[in-house]
Amino acid sequence: IPDWCKTFSLKLNQISLKEYRKLDGYIIINKLWENNDTIEFSMEMKIHKIIAHPYVERLKGKVAIERGPLIYCIESFDNNESGMDFSLNEETEFKIQTDNNLIKGVKIIKGKTSDGKNFKAVPYFLWDHRRDSSGQMKVWINQKYLDKSLSREPIVNWDKKLYRSLEEVLT
């Protein structure tokens, strides 16, 4: 189970499976297997804001956008309305959309800045992959009203992680 996956479901032969164990990031299913048994493992890919480790001074008060295993970035090419130096609110809502103009309809994220302008984020791996798209790119975005003391949380709570979900830190 990848570390980014907080919610998942398992089906055995199309029937929801509730009896399993988790051990060291793996799912263990004890069963007498038959030839045509099938397992379906579905992982929910929620959008999260993440913050950097407290030792990274330059990223205090900033967040990045993560969806599943992907980090997203904003490019000047897509963000004429909002520019590149905007902030997000605590309540910023994100919407997933398929962009058929990008590689095989990749999923993009859209939202509104703290001053109500639209912005678009693409998976980081797609940065600068479009014709005539050279320009600025940013992963770490200002978070309006983000208490910079969050990054002063005891280092032991970080368990050797470089970043953590903002939701996880706030709870």
Side-chain angles (χ1 to χ4, degrees):
I1 306 167
D3 190 49
W4 57 262
C5 179
K6 306 301 181 217
T7 308
F8 62 88
S9 65
L10 279 171
K11 288 184 179 179
L12 173 62
N13 300 325
Q14 300 183 349
I15 298 171
S16 186
L17 181 63
K18 303 291 184 198
E19 293 188 30
Y20 57 85
R21 287 187 311 129
K22 290 196 278 185
L23 179 66
D24 297 329
Y26 290 89
I27 294 172
I28 299 171
I29 303 168
N30 288 318
K31 164 188 184 348
L32 183 57
W33 294 97
E34 298 178 18
N35 279 341
N36 293 319
D37 282 344
T38 59
I39 296 280
E40 182 180 322
F41 179 57
S42 298
M43 297 177 278
E44 188 172 355
M45 292 179 49
K46 288 186 177 180
I47 301 170
H48 299 278
K49 292 180 192 172
I50 58 173
I51 61 172
H53 191 283
Y55 285 170
V56 185
E57 291 285 332
R58 291 184 57 138
L59 297 180
K60 288 183 179 176
K62 296 182 182 293
V63 295
I65 302 170
E66 174 188 61
R67 178 175 178 261
L70 300 177
I71 299 295
Y72 280 69
C73 68
I74 57 172
E75 294 183 272
S76 56
F77 180 79
D78 294 318
N79 292 289
N80 296 329
E81 180 184 354
S82 59
M84 293 292 289
D85 197 28
F86 59 81
S87 295
L88 301 178
N89 284 330
E90 293 173 29
E91 308 83 35
T92 299
E93 291 184 22
F94 300 108
K95 294 180 182 160
I96 295 288
Q97 291 184 345
T98 301
D99 189 331
N100 292 316
N101 295 321
L102 294 174
I103 299 173
K104 297 210 182 216
V106 74
K107 303 291 185 197
I108 60 160
I109 295 174
K110 289 190 173 185
K112 293 212 181 274
T113 66
S114 60
D115 59 356
K117 295 180 180 168
N118 295 314
F119 76 89
K120 174 181 175 179
V122 299
Y124 177 76
F125 74 86
L126 281 178
W127 170 53
D128 206 21
H129 275 69
R130 292 173 276 181
R131 184 173 286 155
D132 303 325
S133 70
S134 61
Q136 294 180 322
M137 180 276 296
K138 189 185 272 191
V139 170
W140 294 95
I141 304 166
N142 295 325
Q143 171 72 39
K144 201 166 190 168
Y145 310 120
L146 180 63
D147 183 356
K148 292 184 182 182
S149 68
L150 285 175
S151 299
R152 293 189 194 97
E153 171 183 24
I155 300 302
V156 293
N157 293 345
W158 280 79
D159 191 34
K160 300 179 184 176
K161 293 183 178 180
L162 295 175
Y163 59 87
R164 289 177 56 199
S165 164
L166 182 57
E167 299 161 343
E168 179 185 335
V169 173
L170 291 175
T171 55

